[in-house]
Amino acid sequence: MKFPALLIFTWLVGQSTLLAQSSFPTLGKVVRIDPQLDALIASDAKIEVLASGFVWAEGPVWINDSGYLLFSDVPQNTVFKWSAKEGLTPFLKPSGFTGAGTYGDEPGSNGLTLNRQGHLVLAEHGDRRISVMPLTGVGKRTITDNYQGKRFNSPNDVVQHSSGAYYFTDPPYGLPKKHEDPTREIDWFGVYRAAADGKVTLLTKDMTRPNGLAFSPDEKILYVAQSDPSKAVIMAFPMLSDGTVGPGKVFYDATPMVKQGLPGLPDGLKVDISGNVWSTGPGGVLIFSPSGKLLGRIDTGEATANCGWGDDGSTLYITADMYLCRIKTKTKGAGW
């Protein structure tokens, strides 16, 4: 049953205020598969629930200068702000669709990141673009909304390279009729690069459902998650000197975990300072060594969408379906 956005938001604010004034409840568990995980997550680490009641939470990004978190609720077309001091407040609405009427069931922004200028970059479903805006909330502009004159499907996640270029994925999830939507203008679901001068390059069109993406600490590898239940893989693409990528290889195949019935698919991912990959997927957040060995998972019990580093770089914030969560780690995010 779907509730009106106003009622949901009122409930969320009330819940967040209560949680901000008391200890946080916990959920799930840490599943340890390899002893190497002990160096990354303490034995007594808990998954704390900071707020709940969302429709589909996504794209957490930490604003270090001000000490707060931003994240998307894609169906509500809203970016929310959370801080330990103030709890939950709205930050931006509409976040991904500014047109008249309704636009599918996932119209809002999805992945979020900060660029080198400290501005918020959004992957927007409804407006089918990558946009950027100051954290003041005024002056949003389009970075790119088309490839060779054809509109993107629904940009899903975005990261920035040290060169200033943006790398992003473009699956069909934000379109009203998904991959069968009649307004589609591009025949594939691509991974793209938007250079600092605005030129857009197609990096690959061989993935069926490209989703989250991240660079290795040395930026020699671009990881891209694929949220296809029949081929639920994380790909690793070698970066080339011109900013494009070479042929990709499978970093990890989570398809057997999907077949086991674990909730979720490869979605958002991040990398820590040692090159370990933290990717949402079947069974929560999957944690891999740089060689692709599965060390364990943060099992939220829900389909888990995305994650992001925050606080001093050692807290992993997690968006898991209706929940905003966090867990303390013993490492730090790459580039922190």
Side-chain angles (χ1 to χ4, degrees):
M1 179 177 181
K2 298 293 186 182
F3 294 94
L6 179 59
L7 292 179
I8 293 174
F9 174 71
T10 302
W11 184 84
L12 286 172
V13 172
Q15 287 291 104
S16 185
T17 300
L18 289 173
L19 293 177
Q21 295 173 351
S22 62
S23 60
F24 295 104
T26 62
L27 57 68
K29 60 186 177 181
V30 176
V31 178
R32 298 176 186 272
I33 298 173
D34 189 278
Q36 294 180 57
L37 188 67
D38 295 342
L40 301 176
I41 302 178
S43 59
D44 60 350
K46 304 295 184 183
I47 307 169
E48 296 181 301
V49 178
L50 307 178
S52 61
F54 305 102
V55 183
W56 181 249
E58 257 282 7
V61 61
W62 183 257
I63 313 303
N64 198 41
D65 291 345
S66 303
Y68 62 84
L69 188 82
L70 296 177
F71 64 99
S72 303
D73 188 330
V74 188
Q76 287 204 67
N77 199 12
T78 301
V79 170
F80 285 105
K81 172 184 175 182
W82 181 90
S83 71
K85 181 182 293 186
E86 298 179 0
L88 189 76
T89 56
F91 179 80
L92 179 69
K93 184 179 179 66
S95 67
F97 176 61
T98 57
T102 58
Y103 186 86
D105 58 358
E106 295 190 20
S109 62
N110 194 311
L112 308 175
T113 192
L114 288 185
N115 67 13
R116 295 185 302 163
Q117 290 74 43
H119 296 163
L120 182 65
V121 179
L122 308 92
E124 299 188 19
H125 278 186
D127 286 348
R128 299 166 72 163
R129 64 177 178 170
I130 301 295
S131 66
V132 61
M133 60 180 284
L135 290 172
T136 58
V138 178
K140 183 189 282 191
R141 63 179 179 84
T142 299
I143 294 174
T144 182
D145 61 5
N146 73 92
Y147 174 66
Q148 297 182 346
K150 295 183 178 181
R151 288 185 299 167
F152 295 124
N153 297 302
S154 56
N156 185 280
D157 207 356
V158 56
V159 292
Q160 189 178 37
H161 187 266
S162 61
S163 66
Y166 295 100
Y167 290 68
F168 61 97
T169 56
D170 187 41
Y173 298 127
L175 294 171
K177 295 185 178 180
K178 315 306 180 192
H179 66 281
E180 297 179 348
D181 197 272
T183 68
R184 277 184 58 196
E185 298 181 13
I186 296 177
D187 294 333
W188 56 79
F189 308 119
V191 182
Y192 296 89
R193 176 182 187 266
D197 63 4
K199 180 183 178 181
V200 177
T201 302
L202 173 65
L203 301 180
T204 180
K205 59 179 180 180
D206 295 334
M207 298 184 70
T208 54
R209 293 294 186 273
N211 204 308
L213 69 176
F215 291 107
S216 61
D218 58 10
E219 294 188 330
K220 291 183 178 180
I221 301 172
L222 176 65
Y223 297 103
V224 185
Q226 176 164 277
S227 49
D228 183 339
S230 63
K231 193 176 181 181
V233 298
I234 300 169
M235 298 295 294
F237 295 90
M239 292 290 296
L240 304 180
S241 58
D242 63 355
T244 61
V245 301
K249 64 178 182 179
V250 175
F251 176 75
Y252 189 82
D253 187 351
T255 311
M257 300 175 73
V258 175
K259 293 179 179 180
Q260 291 173 22
L262 293 173
L265 294 166
D267 198 328
L269 58 89
K270 298 295 183 291
V271 179
D272 69 24
I273 56 175
S274 299
N276 300 298
V277 176
W278 303 62
S279 173
T280 59
V285 179
L286 312 182
I287 304 154
F288 305 97
S289 71
S291 65
K293 182 179 183 180
L294 179 61
L295 306 180
R297 55 189 175 89
I298 303 167
D299 187 349
T300 65
E302 305 289 340
T304 304
N306 214 329
C307 58
W309 304 104
D311 298 334
D312 63 352
S314 65
T315 300
L316 190 71
Y317 286 86
I318 302 168
T319 48
D321 198 341
M322 69 187 75
Y323 297 108
L324 172 65
C325 309
R326 72 180 175 191
I327 188 171
K328 188 70 175 177
T329 77
K330 297 166 72 173
T331 184
K332 288 189 176 183
W336 205 263

